[in-house]
Amino acid sequence: MRSLLCAAGAAGILLFAAAGPVAADDGGDGFTITDPRIKESSGLAASRKHPGVYWTHNDSDDGPYVYAVDSRTGRTVATVTLRGIGDPRDVEAISVGPDGNVYVGDIGDNLGGTWSHVWIYRFPEPAQLRDQTVTAAQLTVKYDEGPRDAEAMMVHPKTGRVYIASKKKSGGAALYEGPERLSSRGTNTFRRIAAIDQWVTDGAFSPDGTRLVLRGYFGAEMYRWQGGRPKGIGSVGVPLQMQGESVSFTPDGRTLMFGSEGKSSRVQPVGLSGDQLPESAAKNSDGKVGDKGGTDDRNQDGPGKNRNVLLAAVTFGVGAVVVLGLRRVFRRK
């Protein structure tokens, strides 16, 4: 019976992979990171100065490096070496702020949330894409509830405020808000503002700041950002990936780009619709919020969740058919 269930499960996985999330028109087909040095791409952020370029970095054991990848070719077009910081421990996230700075989150804790503090590195986004060394500020971070393991750090694109989401659902994952302005002197205390009911590996704000997405290994949740707090509006379909670690909005806000660790890892686009579209992307030609993308709270599940439910139902159905079919074959024998 176990072999029958395995066959059914395999059929379900193939069906899910085939059905997969649909890319938005402006998201293209995604891209593959071709740089052999990038083996553990753990964060992803769309450049503000260079259209079509995404910033990324390795997880750990790589050094103070950040890479600019051209989404049209998958090639690294610039390697930035950070000067003026210590040895990075567990770099997990990257975000570009409205102040023109790139923020790198050395916020992971491979010791299970025991480090007394973590760091954020901040440096101006380069005007030219070439290999270069830049001086970065090293910002010390602590949490008001004590040490946390985290992999998601997001800079709000309007206020410039920095947020961190802790990772473990079983350990009470939460969203933490940093001070209004981070300081390179002393310690920046991040305070809990909301519980998060998922295992978080990365997150991103939409370019207009009206949406927040938090992803895990196998799923993602979209939130409406209201009054400096998240309000859940449903799940988002996530591509099947070996180890889903990163997510970023495209500059127009209509597409999510999902990345994974591993050599030659693939960054895959997922188009948004309905309430999950950021407000600026949902506006029609008259400058009004359209019927599908407005601030109507009635569609709390969102299109991603409905699509996942449908896929799960179809997968279960196919699995059942496979099991019944194999049973009949074995009975005949």
Side-chain angles (χ1 to χ4, degrees):
M1 185 63 181
R2 180 174 300 174
S3 61
L4 296 178
L5 293 175
C6 288
I13 291 173
L14 290 174
L15 176 65
F16 187 88
V22 179
D25 292 338
D26 62 352
D29 297 323
F31 60 96
T32 299
I33 297 175
T34 61
D35 192 332
R37 297 173 298 172
I38 306 176
K39 302 175 183 179
E40 294 182 306
S41 175
S42 187
L44 193 69
S47 169
R48 280 178 168 251
K49 290 188 175 180
H50 309 286
V53 169
Y54 287 83
W55 293 101
T56 190
H57 54 81
N58 281 311
D59 188 336
S60 56
D61 299 326
D62 181 40
Y65 308 118
V66 178
Y67 306 93
V69 179
D70 187 343
S71 64
R72 291 173 287 267
T73 64
R75 296 177 179 175
T76 298
V77 292
T79 300
V80 177
T81 303
L82 304 186
R83 176 178 54 204
I85 66 172
D87 294 328
R89 288 188 301 204
D90 191 359
V91 180
E92 293 288 356
I94 190 167
S95 185
V96 182
D99 56 358
N101 285 316
V102 177
Y103 292 72
V104 181
D106 190 356
I107 57 175
D109 191 339
N110 291 326
L111 298 179
T114 58
W115 281 326
S116 62
H117 64 276
V118 292
W119 299 300
I120 293 175
Y121 310 125
R122 182 180 64 198
F123 66 94
E125 183 173 18
Q128 297 181 350
L129 291 176
R130 56 179 175 79
D131 293 351
Q132 56 194 287
T133 298
V134 301
T135 299
Q138 181 166 324
L139 313 172
T140 301
V141 170
K142 290 185 178 181
Y143 303 95
D144 63 341
E145 298 180 324
R148 291 290 184 274
D149 183 19
E151 295 189 4
M153 179 205 67
M154 301 74 60
V155 181
H156 194 275
K158 300 301 180 182
T159 67
R161 202 153 195 163
V162 181
Y163 298 83
I164 295 175
S166 59
K167 183 179 181 180
K168 294 183 179 179
K169 179 178 178 180
S170 59
L175 185 66
Y176 296 85
E177 179 183 71
E180 185 175 356
R181 292 290 180 268
L182 296 183
S183 173
S184 58
R185 298 180 179 180
T187 299
N188 298 277
T189 300
F190 279 60
R191 304 186 184 283
R192 177 187 175 118
I193 61 170
I196 301 297
D197 189 24
Q198 65 170 315
W199 189 287
V200 182
T201 60
D202 200 14
F205 280 108
S206 61
D208 66 359
T210 65
R211 297 293 183 271
L212 169 68
V213 64
L214 295 175
R215 76 158 299 173
Y217 293 119
F218 306 111
E221 294 293 325
M222 185 70 75
Y223 301 85
R224 180 177 287 110
W225 193 254
Q226 293 181 330
R229 297 293 184 270
K231 182 177 182 180
I233 53 176
S235 61
V236 180
V238 173
L240 288 176
Q241 296 176 316
M242 291 298 293
Q243 186 172 339
E245 287 280 349
S246 61
V247 65
S248 176
F249 279 86
T250 53
D252 63 5
R254 303 186 67 86
T255 305
L256 292 175
M257 304 295 282
F258 288 96
S260 174
E261 287 193 359
K263 294 182 179 179
S264 300
S265 60
R266 183 80 181 160
V267 177
Q268 298 172 266
V270 172
L272 298 172
S273 62
D275 281 350
Q276 296 186 347
L277 273 172
E279 292 177 9
S280 62
K283 288 181 179 179
N284 58 27
S285 58
D286 294 329
K288 298 178 181 178
V289 177
D291 292 338
K292 293 184 178 180
T295 56
D296 189 348
D297 290 336
R298 290 173 295 180
N299 183 19
Q300 293 299 307
D301 288 339
K305 189 168 186 177
N306 293 335
R307 180 166 59 246
N308 288 345
V309 171
L310 177 60
L311 286 171
V314 175
T315 301
F316 179 80
V318 170
V321 170
V322 171
V323 171
L324 292 175
L326 291 175
R327 274 183 171 177
R328 289 177 181 177
V329 171
F330 288 134
R331 285 175 181 174
R332 289 174 183 174
K333 292 182 179 182

